[in-house]
Amino acid sequence: MGVRHAREYADILKELTEAVGKIERGYSFFEMEQEEWSALPQGERGEVMEALADDVFYGLGETPVIEVGEGVITYNSKHHVIEVSQGDNVIQIVRLI
């Protein structure tokens, strides 16, 4: 099926990377431990979060809800958005059109 979008993928990826970076324990998606995450330089952490955002974007095309760390990422095809939330709080809404 895939995630339908009209915006440039690079712009979506940038916003989604920023959003997943705010999820507590988001690094656990890659089965990393806190010590491993803390040992990474800041630049590499950004690369890991971008890879996470990319994986999640394509994964949402198959499964509209993906748990990441302490958060949940949901693809709402009706409203053409990806919602990133943690607990009862919406961290960010990424527009796809």
Side-chain angles (χ1 to χ4, degrees):
M1 174 181 130
V3 174
R4 296 180 55 124
H5 59 92
R7 291 180 61 207
E8 290 291 325
Y9 178 70
D11 295 335
I12 293 169
L13 182 62
K14 181 178 177 184
E15 286 183 33
L16 191 54
T17 299
E18 181 180 310
V20 298
K22 296 175 185 175
I23 296 173
E24 291 180 33
R25 296 182 26 81
Y27 53 83
S28 66
F29 185 82
F30 291 119
E31 299 181 3
M32 293 179 75
E33 297 295 329
Q34 171 65 41
E35 297 79 26
E36 295 172 293
W37 179 251
S38 297
L40 286 178
Q42 192 64 32
E44 288 184 34
R45 288 183 191 185
E47 291 174 11
V48 169
M49 287 296 112
E50 184 174 316
L52 172 58
D54 187 57
D55 287 354
V56 165
F57 182 84
Y58 287 101
L60 290 170
E62 296 294 320
T63 306
V65 178
I66 297 176
E67 292 183 23
V68 173
E70 303 293 322
V72 176
I73 303 172
T74 307
Y75 171 46
N76 184 324
S77 60
K78 180 179 178 183
H79 295 286
H80 308 287
V81 297
I82 295 173
E83 183 179 289
V84 180
S85 59
Q86 185 169 293
D88 293 333
N89 300 320
V90 174
I91 294 173
Q92 189 165 341
I93 293 176
V94 178
R95 293 179 301 104
L96 299 172
I97 58 172

